[in-house]
Structures are given as C-alpha cells and as structure tokens.
C-alpha cells in the first residue's frame, strides 16, 4: 500500500511516497532525477537507549558486526561489492537508532537492496566467535582513539553521565565501556539481532534517480520473505523534569592543551516547537563567528580561543544544549563562566534582535536545505522522521517550522532553560603548568553529533 506523491506546502517541490510490506517493513521512496545516483538508507529502531545494565556498547558493536559478512556475502564483501560498483557506504549508531546507508550509481540500486536484505535476513548464519572477537577489538580501539587517548575526548561521556541520572537510558553513550565490551558474548549478540534486526523494526528509504515501481518490486523480492519479530521490549522511559534543579559540576585534571569550560543544558525534546526555538537561541548565542559568545569571549574579551553552543536533538529524552569554550593562556575558568552567564541573562531578558533572528533562521534553513538537496541526506532525514516521529513527510517541511518561530518564543525558552540551575558543568584543568597557547580538540558542533561511525574495513 502507498500514498500519492503530492508535494506539501513548504516542501520545495520534494515528494515522498510511503509503503509497507506484509512483514512490517516501512518503505519511503523519493524520486530525484537530477543526477543518475540513488541512496539507500535503512534505520533500525535500536540504539544505546535500548541497552541494559552491564551490556553498554552492544548496539554499536553490532553495527560493526553487520559488516562482517552474511549468508551469501563473506567477510568484507559488503564493502568490496558496493565500492566495486562505484558506490559508497557506512553505518552509524546513536542513542536512538542504528543506520546503514549506501549511495550508488542508479543502475546499481538493486545490488544495494540485495545486500541490505541479505544481512537483515541471514546475518546469524555468518556470526561466529571469530567475527565477534575481530569487531570487539575494533570497537575497543575506536574507543581508545576517539575517547580515551585524545584531549577532551571523554567530555561528552562525562557530561551525559551528569546530565542524565544513574539508571536513565541515556546515562551512557553509544560507545559503551571497556568492561561491558569485554563482557559481551556471542549469544548476547545473537539475541540482540533476533530482538531488533527485524523488518517490522526498520524503515527503508530510497531516494534518487529511481523507478518507483521497479524499486518496490526489488524491495518486495529481497525483503518480503524476511519474517517479522514481535518480541522487542519497549525502551525504558526517558522522561525527566524540565530542569535539573541545580548545577552539577565536575573538575577534570588531564593532559589537555588549555583550560576548558563545557556544559550541558537540559532542553526540550526534538519534534517540538520549543526545540526549534531553542535551536535558534543556541545559534544566536554560539553558532559560529557572528554569535554573541564568540564576539564576547574571543573577539572582545580575548579570554577564549574558541566558543560554541550546539544542540543535540533527542526524541526519547530531553535534548542537550552543549556549551564548549577553550580558554586563552592564563585565563581562569571562573572568568569565562561569569561572562557566559552574563550573556545568557541578557538574552533571557531581551531575546534576539530582529537581525539576529533572521540570521539564525537563515543559517538553520541553509543547513536543512543542504541536507535535503543530496539524495543521501534526504534519505536519512526521511528515515529519521519515520522512526522517531512516525511521519517521514515531516522532513520535507522542517524548514517552514524553523522559519515560523517568533523572537518571543526564542527568548522564553532561553529564559526557562539556559540557567545556571539547569546545567551539568565540566571544567578541564591541564596537568602541565605550561599548557599550550592554542586549544585543540572537539568543539561544540563536533561533540553534539553523538554517533559512532563504522570504520571502513577496520579489523580486516
């Protein structure tokens, strides 16, 4: 069954049709004949929030196992076949989903669909102790390289642990702990696959230079015989009060090149008008070199070498506003924090100027249109809105919702949420007295991605 591809108001002429197979697989198609390419994106409704105590990191580990071969594709064959056909591919894991994607020359679309169906339907035939140990080592090494052995690398992990209390499904990040990665067994992985890797727990989007009829026929041919599974447990409740109610604080002494102030603010859930409003607030305050915090701390006071404020949108729990400031040499964090609070208080009182709001809306509009203009970006957004909000069509009108937010809404959400009693704070103090003049490491926009990405060919 499907829906007619009628362009919605505000969609820029983009269309999407929806279909569902008998086994529950949800399919979203969007034609775009501008270039002879097609993107395949498959979102499974499983992420780190679905994990249980002592088995953190299993969702990300399983993402890697999905590239270790299936019934008809051995070893690194998935990469070899896609790249040999002129395509690109990868997979990522976040709190709320795991996704896999290929961008192919249009005439190679059937190959990508067959590959995704083969591992959805037959991965257990190839999952053994050797592949488990191989990818366990790869994921542990990824943790060392991206978290444990780089400056400020564990900041995101530490702040989420502060912002979400013990026992909350978002308390731990998708990378997982070393101890839990060591403890995961082959049977854990097999049970995880049986529970979550089923067609009725997935959304498949195909975008680009496609023939919808032929594409649906291939999808039915390769995915239609895969049985659904009804044993998936409901994710744990991620709701929390609107504000933390106090300032949580941790000081970290490490070998970092400069002092740093990082903070996570509890913000409205993704998919709400309030979340769009706070996105605009953070863009005005810390979204680039024209932002208030950059102008105050970097240009005027010269107390920081970098200052940013980004938004991690989350649907199943409060979103996080991520503040990231690296100090200039010799500057104390207390001075930075006082200036930040001064800017937030002024913004809560007066809100954005008309020029600031227009610039922030234009910035977010450009980012959205950049995403929707590529077949891969549009395929990903269609999946996101289908999995998290039940309606892929919302992806095509997201820009209008941003542009509809008023200055008073932006001011109101900032006043309610961007307060000292609604944040978890992380202060980095260098171990060495002669810390480097220039700060390095992740900025706010890097940190708020909160995904782990498959390393191509790793462990082979």
């Amino acid at each position: 069954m499907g829906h007619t591809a009628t362009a919605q108001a505000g969609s820029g002429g983009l269309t999407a049709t929806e279909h569902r197979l008998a086994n529950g697989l949800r399919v979203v198609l969007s034609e775009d004949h501008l270039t002879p390419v097609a993107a395949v994106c498959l979102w499974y409704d499983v992420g780190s929030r679905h994990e249980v105590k002592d088995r953190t990191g299993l969702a990300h580990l399983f993402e890697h196992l999905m590239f270790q071969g299936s019934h008809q594709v051995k070893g690194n064959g998935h990469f070899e076949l896609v790249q040999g056909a002129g395509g690109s591919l990868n997979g990522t894991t976040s709190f709320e989903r795991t996704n896999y994607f290929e961008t192919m020359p249009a005439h190679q679309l059937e190959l990508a669909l067959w590959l995704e169906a083969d591992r959805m339907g037959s991965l257990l035939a190839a999952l053994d102790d050797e592949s488990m140990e191989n990818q366990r080592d790869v994921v542990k090494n990824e943790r060392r390289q991206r978290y444990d052995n780089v400056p400020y690398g564990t900041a995101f992990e530490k702040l989420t642990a502060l912002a979400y209390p013990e026992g909350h499904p978002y308390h731990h990040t998708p990378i997982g702990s070393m101890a839990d990665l060591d403890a995961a067994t082959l049977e854990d992985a097999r049970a995880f696959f049986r529970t979550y890797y089923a067609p009725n727990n997935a959304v498949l989007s195909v975008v680009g230079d496609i023939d919808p009829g032929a594409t649906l026929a291939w999808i039915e041919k390769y995915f239609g015989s895969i049985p659904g599974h009804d044993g998936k447990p409901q994710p744990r409740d991620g709701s929390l009060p609107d504000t933390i109610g106090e300032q949580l604080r941790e000081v970290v002494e490490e070998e970092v090149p400069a002092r740093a102030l990082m903070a996570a603010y509890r913000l409205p859930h993704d998919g709400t008008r309030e979340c769009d409003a706070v996105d605009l607030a953070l863009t005005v305050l810390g979204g680039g070199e024209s932002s208030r915090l950059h102008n105050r701390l970097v240009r005027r006071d010269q107390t920081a070498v970098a200052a940013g404020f980004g938004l991690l949108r989350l649907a199943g729990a409060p979103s996080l506003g991520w503040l990231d400031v690296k100090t200039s040499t010799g500057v104390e964090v207390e001075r930075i924090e006082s200036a930040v609070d001064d800017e937030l208080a002024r913004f809560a009182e007066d809100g954005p100027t008309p020029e600031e709001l227009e610039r922030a809306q234009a910035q977010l509009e450009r980012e959205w249109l950049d995403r929707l203009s590529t077949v891969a970006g549009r395929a990903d957004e269609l999946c996101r809105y289908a999995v998290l909000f039940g309606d892929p069509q919302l992806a095509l009108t997201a820009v209008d919702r941003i542009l509809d937010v008023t200055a008073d809404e932006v001011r109101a959400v900032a006043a309610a949420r961007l307060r000292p009693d609604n944040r978890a704070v992380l202060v980095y103090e260098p171990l060495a007295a002669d810390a480097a003049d220039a700060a390095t490491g992740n900025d706010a926009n890097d940190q708020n991605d909160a995904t782990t990405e498959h390393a191509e060919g790793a462990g082979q």
Side-chain angles (χ1 to χ4, degrees):
M1 57 185 296
H3 299 286
T4 303
T6 303
Q8 298 187 31
S11 68
L14 301 177
T15 62
T17 60
E18 302 171 52
H19 315 266
R20 193 181 294 272
L21 303 191
N23 59 10
L25 179 66
R26 193 169 185 180
V27 178
V28 185
L29 305 181
S30 180
E31 289 184 76
D32 183 345
H33 301 289
L34 187 63
T35 56
V37 295
V40 173
C41 187
L42 187 59
W43 271 46
Y44 290 93
D45 186 11
V46 58
S48 59
R49 69 169 176 158
H50 297 86
E51 295 165 351
V52 298
K53 184 177 173 58
D54 299 327
R55 288 299 181 269
T56 65
L58 194 56
H60 177 222
L61 174 61
F62 206 89
E63 174 218 314
H64 281 255
L65 291 171
M66 285 282 278
F67 289 93
Q68 277 288 282
S70 51
H71 179 58
Q72 299 182 79
V73 182
K74 305 304 179 186
N76 203 38
H78 197 111
F79 274 103
E80 294 168 355
L81 287 167
V82 170
Q83 292 173 336
S88 60
L89 72 161
N90 217 318
T92 68
T93 309
S94 76
F95 289 103
E96 300 183 320
R97 58 96 183 107
T98 307
N99 69 339
Y100 304 89
F101 45 93
E102 295 89 5
T103 300
M104 307 287 286
H107 68 281
Q108 296 285 2
L109 171 60
E110 185 180 7
L111 172 63
L113 294 170
W114 174 75
L115 286 167
E116 288 294 356
D118 190 57
R119 60 182 174 180
M120 177 191 281
S122 69
L123 187 91
L124 287 184
L127 185 56
D128 56 19
D129 287 315
E130 181 181 359
S131 58
M132 181 78 173
E133 293 309 313
N134 179 302
Q135 291 306 307
R136 188 201 311 272
D137 289 343
V138 169
V139 172
K140 289 169 66 176
N141 194 49
E142 180 181 339
R143 181 184 169 90
R144 294 185 191 100
Q145 291 179 339
R146 297 184 59 188
Y147 289 75
D148 297 336
N149 297 335
V150 295
Y152 317 108
T154 58
F156 183 70
E157 189 173 48
K158 291 178 183 296
L159 273 179
T160 52
L162 284 174
Y164 301 111
E166 184 75 37
H168 189 274
Y170 293 69
H171 179 72
H172 69 278
T173 56
I175 193 67
S177 73
M178 283 292 196
D180 289 355
L181 289 170
D182 282 332
T185 66
L186 180 60
E187 185 48 45
D188 288 332
R190 287 173 171 163
F192 194 87
F193 179 84
R194 295 187 191 101
T195 301
Y196 295 107
Y197 279 75
N200 54 323
N201 195 46
V203 172
L204 172 67
S205 67
V206 184
V207 176
D209 188 17
I210 63 173
D211 178 317
T215 301
L216 278 174
W218 287 329
I219 292 171
E220 181 65 52
K221 176 181 178 181
Y222 298 124
F223 289 89
S225 62
I226 302 172
H229 177 67
D230 296 326
K232 175 188 170 183
Q234 288 296 315
R236 290 173 292 151
D237 183 15
S239 61
L240 289 169
D242 285 350
T243 59
I244 298 172
E246 61 178 320
Q247 180 172 244
L248 305 174
R249 196 176 194 88
E250 181 178 339
V251 177
V252 181
E253 294 184 355
E254 286 185 1
E255 290 185 4
V256 292
R259 291 189 177 101
L261 170 69
M262 302 185 189
Y265 292 77
R266 187 178 294 175
L267 300 177
H269 290 239
D270 192 14
T272 64
R273 191 176 177 93
E274 292 78 13
C275 190
D276 289 338
V278 83
D279 201 354
L280 288 163
L282 299 188
T283 302
V284 172
L285 289 164
E289 295 185 359
S290 64
S291 67
R292 289 195 182 190
L293 290 178
H294 185 89
N295 282 327
R296 169 73 181 269
L297 300 172
V298 179
R299 289 182 176 171
R300 195 192 87 179
D301 297 352
Q302 297 184 6
T303 54
V305 296
F309 218 164
L311 176 64
L312 170 59
R313 288 175 174 262
L314 295 170
S319 301
L320 286 184
W322 181 274
L323 174 71
D324 187 346
V325 182
K326 306 298 192 320
T327 70
S328 300
T329 303
V331 176
E332 298 291 335
V333 168
E334 288 77 9
R335 184 178 174 189
I336 296 286
E337 196 166 4
S338 176
V340 168
D341 286 342
D342 179 53
E343 290 298 324
L344 295 185
R346 288 199 307 113
F347 192 82
E349 181 68 25
D350 301 328
T353 66
E355 294 78 12
E356 286 177 324
L357 180 60
E358 183 180 6
R359 186 166 58 243
Q361 288 176 321
Q363 183 173 331
L364 294 183
E365 180 182 24
R366 187 199 71 236
E367 292 171 1
W368 264 105
L369 293 179
D370 283 348
R371 288 283 289 162
L372 295 180
S373 68
T374 68
V375 293
R378 196 185 320 158
D380 191 54
E381 293 299 337
L382 289 170
C383 278
R384 182 168 84 90
Y385 276 93
V387 170
L388 299 181
F389 307 109
D391 184 2
Q393 305 291 341
L394 292 171
L396 306 181
T397 56
V399 170
D400 278 354
R401 292 191 292 277
I402 290 287
L403 298 180
D404 193 47
V405 175
T406 67
D408 190 60
E409 289 175 296
V410 174
R411 185 207 61 78
V413 75
R417 300 297 189 100
L418 300 181
R419 303 170 1 195
D421 65 347
N422 184 38
R423 69 184 176 205
V425 175
L426 205 59
V427 175
Y428 276 89
E429 290 286 348
L431 286 176
D434 56 344
D437 290 348
T440 60
N442 297 319
D443 64 17
N445 292 326
D446 292 328
Q447 289 285 353
N448 70 19
D449 180 33
T451 62
T452 55
E453 184 171 295
H454 182 83
E456 178 183 330
Q460 301 303 318

